[in-house]
């Protein structure tokens, strides 16, 4: 999806994911316009199965925790606000409702730093690297309930809750959130491949920020 001019300092990305492949680099959400930290931003799972959020030359967050259960659904939230005066609050990450606080690598972006997401006329890409405009390092697995909030840093409880009986983290209705200019809500209920409200990349946030589908067919939707 080609973005409009949005908020490059404050945003939240949330998705539910189930892995089909391990021990290879898999990119979840990327944007590229130039070879610098303001021009390249990505969220990925590394070949060591860790979660990594990074720019062109800077790794902002890389977890100690690994994702290695292909039978499990994980809920991942990345919440960014580079305007925050507290450095460790500029990039926050949540897994299954709990904030991750242990990182093998942490380099906080400078205060008020612009990142690559939400640049005018620059693509937002799901499930692939987009460095230099070239695709690769494809995500292999399932995605559901994928959300971008453009302009707000939200915690995991904006997207899920613990079941009172089982204690399991589960999705909640996100339709009432304020999505912002480039915000989207991909339920992935549809199996079509056109870039419109009936396709696999259909945005149901009300923004009509539909994603064009590449290398997917109706059989890829479950």
């Amino acid at each position: 999806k080609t973005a409009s001019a949005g908020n490059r300092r404050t945003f939240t990305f949330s998705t539910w994911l189930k892995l089909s492949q391990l021990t290879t680099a898999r990119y979840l959400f990327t944007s590229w316009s130039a070879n610098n930290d303001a021009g390249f931003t990505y969220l990925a799972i590394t070949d060591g199965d860790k979660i990594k959020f990074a720019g062109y030359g800077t790794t902002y967050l890389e977890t100690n925790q690994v994702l290695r259960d292909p039978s499990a659904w994980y809920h991942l939230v990345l919440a960014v606000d580079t305007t925050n005066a507290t450095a460790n609050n500029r990039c926050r990450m949540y897994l299954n409702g709990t904030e991750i606080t242990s990182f093998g690598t942490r380099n906080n972006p400078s205060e008020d730093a612009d990142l690559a997401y939400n640049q005018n006329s620059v693509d937002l890409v799901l499930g692939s690297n987009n460095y230099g405009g070239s695709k690769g390092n494809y995500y292999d697995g399932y995605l559901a309930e994928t959300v971008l909030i453009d302009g707000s840093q939200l915690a995991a409880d904006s997207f899920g809750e613990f079941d009172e009986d089982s204690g399991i983290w589960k999705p909640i209705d996100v339709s009432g959130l304020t999505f912002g200019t480039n915000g989207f809500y991909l339920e992935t209920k549809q199996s079509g491949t056109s870039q419109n409200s009936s396709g696999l990349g259909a945005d149901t946030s009300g923004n009509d920020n539909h994603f064009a589908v590449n290398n997917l067919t109706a059989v890829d939707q479950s």
Side-chain angles (χ1 to χ4, degrees):
K1 171 74 178 80
T2 302
S4 302
N7 196 320
R8 298 175 58 186
R9 301 176 180 182
T10 307
F11 53 84
T12 305
F13 177 79
S14 167
T15 194
W16 295 74
L17 58 108
K18 188 174 186 288
L19 306 173
S20 298
Q21 186 178 29
L22 305 179
T23 65
T24 184
R26 290 143 286 166
Y27 281 62
L28 291 170
F29 187 44
T30 64
S31 188
W32 176 89
S33 64
N35 292 347
N36 52 56
D37 283 342
F40 184 44
T41 305
Y42 65 89
L43 177 65
I45 303 172
T46 71
D47 56 8
D49 301 315
K50 299 178 180 181
I51 308 167
K52 182 178 182 178
F53 176 57
Y56 174 73
T58 304
T59 297
Y60 304 121
L61 299 176
E62 184 171 328
T63 63
N64 288 310
Q65 186 172 358
V66 297
L67 305 185
R68 288 181 177 160
D69 184 356
S71 69
W73 278 96
Y74 297 101
H75 179 225
L76 176 61
V77 175
L78 173 70
V80 174
D81 181 7
T82 67
T83 70
N84 198 306
T86 302
N88 278 355
N89 288 340
R90 291 174 197 155
C91 298
R92 307 179 78 164
M93 194 177 285
Y94 303 81
L95 188 68
N96 295 340
T98 301
E99 184 166 8
I100 300 173
T101 57
S102 176
F103 294 96
T105 302
R106 178 166 207 146
N107 296 295
N108 299 308
S110 58
E111 190 170 358
D112 296 326
D114 286 330
L115 303 183
Y117 298 138
N118 299 322
Q119 291 185 77
N120 190 38
S121 302
V122 175
D123 285 347
L124 298 170
V125 177
L126 289 169
S128 173
N129 192 357
N130 196 41
Y131 176 72
S134 297
K135 307 300 186 290
N137 300 114
Y138 297 106
Y139 172 70
D140 189 349
Y142 297 90
L143 293 176
E145 294 284 309
T146 302
V147 175
L148 177 67
I149 302 295
D150 178 359
S152 298
Q153 183 187 47
L154 303 180
D157 60 6
S158 291
F159 308 95
E161 65 183 7
F162 288 103
D163 185 271
E164 292 182 0
D165 296 322
S166 67
I168 294 173
W169 184 250
K170 64 180 185 180
I172 61 174
D173 182 7
V174 301
S175 60
L177 296 176
T178 300
F179 292 89
T181 301
N182 293 298
F184 54 79
Y185 173 28
L186 306 186
E187 297 179 90
T188 56
K189 287 182 176 180
Q190 299 87 347
S191 61
T193 57
S194 59
Q195 187 180 355
N196 57 42
S197 59
S198 64
L200 186 60
D203 169 30
T204 57
S205 71
N207 281 345
D208 292 334
N209 285 326
H210 308 302
F211 274 69
V213 175
N214 292 280
N215 299 315
L216 294 172
T217 67
V219 74
D220 295 305
Q221 191 269 350
S222 296

